[in-house]
Amino acid sequence: MRSRLIILGGLVLLAIVVPRSQTGAQSPTEPIPTLKEFGSSVKRLKWDPVKQAAVETSSAEKRPVNAEDVIRIDIELVVCDVLILDGQGHAVQGLTRDDFIVAEDGQPQQISHFSFGSEGEIERSIVLIIDYSGSQLPYIRNSVEAAKTLVDKLGPKDRMAIVTDDVDLKVDYTRDKAKLKDALEDLRQRAMLQERFGRSEQFTALMATARELFSSEDFRRIVIFQTDGDELTLLQPTDFYRYLNIPPPAADASDKEKRKSEELISKIISQFKIKPVIKEFGLNDVYNAAEKSRATVYSVIPGVRFIGLSPAEQLEGMKKSMDDWALVRRDSVDYRSWSRKVLAKIEKSLLKGAEMWASRQSAVSGVATTTGGFTSFLETPNQAEEIYTRILSDMNSRYVIGYYPKNKTRDGKRRRVLIEVRNRPEYSVEGRKTYFAPGPEQ
């Protein structure tokens, strides 16, 4: 994505997205169907305005289950990795299988697998989805260095794949740390030296990852989702006013006012030569796909934080964002040269921009919340070590609990899982609370 995304007075910064893809992942222990084209499963989706959800196209339904571009996710053993915290918020270690109680939809379950997250014999399949689009320009160096920090901290049995916001499987699963770091460095050089950016299709990349890169061979599934989430405005339901960040006509607007608004959209699209590629899925479809994959997602958001802040704090955040852009772009607007009167006039636009970024960050954070992970903000270079240390410590401090559900019905429905520590009501359990049962076609 070569366009910038800043709304300042009359400046509009817009994202252009075009799909691109490569090959898929293979299990290291047993041959499984591979993907003819990474991202192909997402291309088979079609938005249904009645259902307000993405549905598989009829062509996908006619394909045999062993088609070379289909990865079958066959999940009978339900695996939950949970973090146990005491009353002071400290991770609790030393618990045994007998300390846990597991129930599904209120029905007690028998624990079939139990281990601690740091045990070396448990293989983890980790996918890093990294955003190197134009909107990340001030933070790309930090993002890449943070990702390298993650690679350095991988365990001997961990394997990692790298997916970019081009919906490109940059590196298939490997334990070769040098190969992973070389790929990351290549992305940094593309953006910083050659100004060749990613296409900002982060949610599409997550959809493809969730639907295609995990199999029954993958016992612990981890996704690091490192992005600012600016593809959000291209997701369904279609809303060009949201995409261009301009106010829509009022509910009681006249036909003339509505025509003017539509003309404004056409003018902006023509002026900035925008070719928006509206997706065939919505944010809830992304959340459902992530949940169905059984992966725990840790979201890492490079840049200034906007969610959970007051308007005054968000305004300061927009100024900080402008400072970040000024460091990498000489043509960036220097708000420090403006008079207080001018600054006051554009404050509303700045707050609108902060609201836009907050919605994107909330969407990225929501993936982590849905899957039992957490969200971190990478605002300065020295935070990389802390963020990835925390993520890996969380992974290592979790108990891995598996059970074969008593409900064998393959109905594709969401089921609720309750995990408790016996006789310790003061302990809190963090992790995935639900999962989707296999459907009848799986």
Side-chain angles (χ1 to χ4, degrees):
M1 181 184 77
R2 291 184 175 273
S3 54
R4 302 168 179 78
L5 203 18
I6 297 176
I7 297 177
L8 202 56
L11 293 178
V12 184
L13 193 149
L14 300 164
I16 301 176
V17 288
V18 181
R20 186 166 70 97
S21 48
Q22 282 189 356
T23 56
Q26 288 183 317
S27 165
T29 57
E30 179 181 340
I32 59 173
T34 57
L35 293 172
K36 182 178 180 180
E37 182 183 28
F38 180 65
S40 60
S41 71
V42 181
K43 294 178 181 179
R44 295 197 300 269
L45 297 178
K46 183 71 175 177
W47 177 253
D48 188 326
V50 176
K51 294 181 178 179
Q52 288 290 288
V55 297
E56 294 279 353
T57 59
S58 57
S59 59
E61 294 173 358
K62 294 178 181 178
R63 297 182 180 214
V65 296
N66 62 346
E68 64 176 347
D69 61 345
V70 175
I71 289 290
R72 177 186 173 100
I73 302 178
D74 186 12
I75 309 169
E76 281 200 33
L77 180 69
V78 176
V79 179
C80 301
D81 53 340
V82 295
L83 182 68
I84 310 302
L85 301 177
D86 62 19
Q88 288 71 47
H90 301 136
V92 177
Q93 299 183 9
L95 299 177
T96 68
R97 179 194 305 253
D98 293 336
D99 290 317
F100 287 90
I101 302 172
V102 180
E104 179 181 296
D105 289 340
Q107 186 178 26
Q109 306 292 319
Q110 181 177 353
I111 297 175
S112 301
H113 171 87
F114 181 85
S115 61
F116 195 56
S118 60
E119 294 180 6
E121 69 272 13
I122 303 297
E123 181 182 84
R124 295 182 294 203
S125 300
I126 303 170
V127 181
L128 170 65
I129 302 175
I130 187 165
D131 181 350
Y132 74 110
S133 62
S135 65
Q136 288 287 284
L137 185 57
Y139 315 110
I140 284 174
R141 185 186 301 276
N142 295 358
S143 297
V144 168
E145 292 306 314
K148 289 180 181 178
T149 301
L150 169 66
V151 171
D152 284 333
K153 292 179 177 293
L154 294 178
K157 281 211 166 185
D158 292 336
R159 61 182 194 142
M160 177 182 280
I162 297 176
V163 172
T164 70
D165 61 310
D166 296 312
V167 195
D168 179 12
L169 185 58
K170 178 75 173 175
V171 180
D172 205 341
Y173 283 118
T174 182
R175 295 185 178 90
D176 187 336
K177 294 184 179 182
K179 183 177 182 180
L180 292 166
K181 293 171 74 171
D182 285 347
L184 290 168
E185 179 60 22
D186 178 62
L187 294 178
R188 186 193 70 80
Q189 292 192 22
R190 282 189 197 180
M192 301 297 296
L193 303 181
Q194 305 170 37
E195 293 198 346
R196 292 169 52 212
F197 302 110
R199 292 170 178 164
S200 208
E201 295 185 283
Q202 317 96 350
F203 288 109
T204 304
L206 178 57
M207 283 284 281
T209 296
R211 291 166 62 89
E212 301 168 14
L213 287 189
F214 297 109
S215 76
S216 57
E217 299 291 322
D218 302 309
F219 194 73
R220 289 196 70 188
R221 308 164 191 186
I222 308 294
V223 174
I224 313 293
F225 191 37
Q226 186 165 299
T227 178
D228 59 16
D230 63 355
E231 189 189 19
L232 178 67
T233 48
L234 291 172
L235 305 188
Q236 294 286 353
T238 306
D239 184 350
F240 277 103
Y241 296 103
R242 180 184 64 173
Y243 175 63
L244 300 175
N245 199 39
I246 59 177
D252 59 350
S254 65
D255 291 340
K256 182 178 180 180
E257 291 172 326
K258 291 179 181 178
R259 282 196 301 272
K260 283 187 175 180
S261 294
E262 292 171 357
E263 289 170 0
L264 176 60
I265 288 177
S266 298
K267 181 179 179 180
I268 292 175
I269 289 177
S270 174
Q271 180 180 349
F272 288 91
K273 298 180 180 179
I274 302 166
K275 297 179 181 179
V277 180
I278 303 299
K279 304 304 174 181
E280 294 293 337
F281 57 88
L283 184 59
N284 283 337
D285 296 310
V286 176
Y287 289 171
N288 287 342
E291 191 176 353
K292 288 178 180 179
S293 77
R294 300 299 194 76
T296 299
V297 179
Y298 296 91
S299 294
V300 179
I301 303 178
V304 178
R305 175 175 182 162
F306 290 104
I307 59 175
L309 302 181
S310 67
E313 291 171 325
Q314 288 184 337
L315 183 59
E316 289 304 310
M318 287 298 291
K319 294 178 182 178
K320 171 64 168 58
S321 182
M322 286 190 286
D323 284 340
D324 292 342
W325 274 94
L327 290 174
V328 296
R329 286 296 188 190
R330 295 178 181 178
D331 58 352
S332 295
V333 179
D334 183 9
Y335 74 91
R336 298 179 186 277
S337 64
W338 300 342
S339 67
R340 295 180 65 181
K341 183 177 181 180
V342 171
L343 193 59
K345 284 184 177 181
I346 68 164
E347 183 174 307
K348 185 175 180 180
S349 294
L350 290 174
L351 287 173
K352 187 69 176 176
E355 179 183 341
M356 172 189 67
W357 283 111
S359 67
R360 293 170 177 177
Q361 292 177 356
S362 294
V364 174
S365 180
V367 182
T369 301
T370 299
T371 60
F374 57 75
T375 300
S376 302
F377 286 84
L378 179 61
E379 298 185 81
T380 60
N382 60 358
Q383 291 175 316
E385 176 80 16
E386 175 189 351
I387 288 172
Y388 282 100
T389 296
R390 182 188 174 205
I391 290 175
L392 284 162
S393 175
D394 184 88
M395 292 163 54
N396 291 335
S397 299
R398 294 196 174 208
Y399 294 89
V400 184
I401 300 172
Y403 68 93
Y404 291 95
K406 294 180 180 179
N407 183 357
K408 305 296 184 183
T409 308
R410 304 177 75 87
D411 54 14
K413 293 183 178 179
R414 179 184 279 112
R415 298 177 184 173
R416 301 197 174 277
V417 180
L418 176 63
I419 298 178
E420 298 176 301
V421 181
R422 195 185 308 274
N423 300 324
R424 299 307 295 259
E426 74 276 17
Y427 286 177
S428 60
V429 180
E430 295 190 358
R432 190 184 306 105
K433 308 295 184 184
T434 61
Y435 80 97
F436 280 92
E441 74 286 350
Q442 290 181 292

